[in-house]
Amino acid sequence: MTTGSNGSVQIEILAREDCPNRGMALVVVERVVGETGIPAEIEVVEVDSDEDAEAYRVLGSPTVLVDGRDVDPLPSINAEYGIEDRIYRTDRGPCGWPDAEWIREALLRAIAQTTVN
């Protein structure tokens, strides 16, 4: 498990600088962290090339990772790593950022693993 310097959960938002959904992904992540009260370090990581996407295992921009794991419970198995705009398949329909409930579940899973370890 990857934790921040103070034992908090590490959240990474991997996105191009010009990604139209980067800001909303950050808003949703910050809101969920605030609602749960789970200590978290949020970092926006610039992914500017397909080589970066391959290195970080980015399935499109933005990709949200909690302790190194994609928050999407069903990421596309056949997707290739890249920096093009990512479309998430949510219960509300196609969306450019992950569902808040996915982020909440990922945070709760990460904090549960911290207490077990």
Side-chain angles (χ1 to χ4, degrees), residues 80-102:
E80 293 184 21
Y81 301 125
I83 60 171
E84 58 281 334
D85 294 341
R86 183 169 179 177
I87 302 298
Y88 291 90
R89 293 176 304 239
T90 71
D91 290 341
R92 299 178 325 273
C95 189
W97 56 87
D99 192 82
E101 189 58 35
W102 298 348

Side-chain angles (χ1 to χ4, degrees), residues 19-78:
C19 174
N21 297 305
R22 172 183 167 152
M24 194 60 195
L26 180 58
V27 166
V28 173
V29 165
E30 289 174 336
R31 186 186 61 184
V32 171
V33 168
E35 289 171 357
T36 62
I38 294 172
E41 290 185 19
I42 302 168
E43 178 182 8
V44 177
V45 178
E46 300 289 330
V47 180
D48 297 321
S49 67
D50 286 331
E51 292 77 24
D52 287 347
E54 184 80 30
Y56 288 111
R57 300 173 55 119
V58 173
L59 295 174
S61 182
T63 290
V64 177
L65 306 178
V66 172
D67 279 348
R69 294 181 62 192
D70 198 311
V71 298
D72 187 341
L74 298 170
S76 178
I77 295 170
N78 298 323

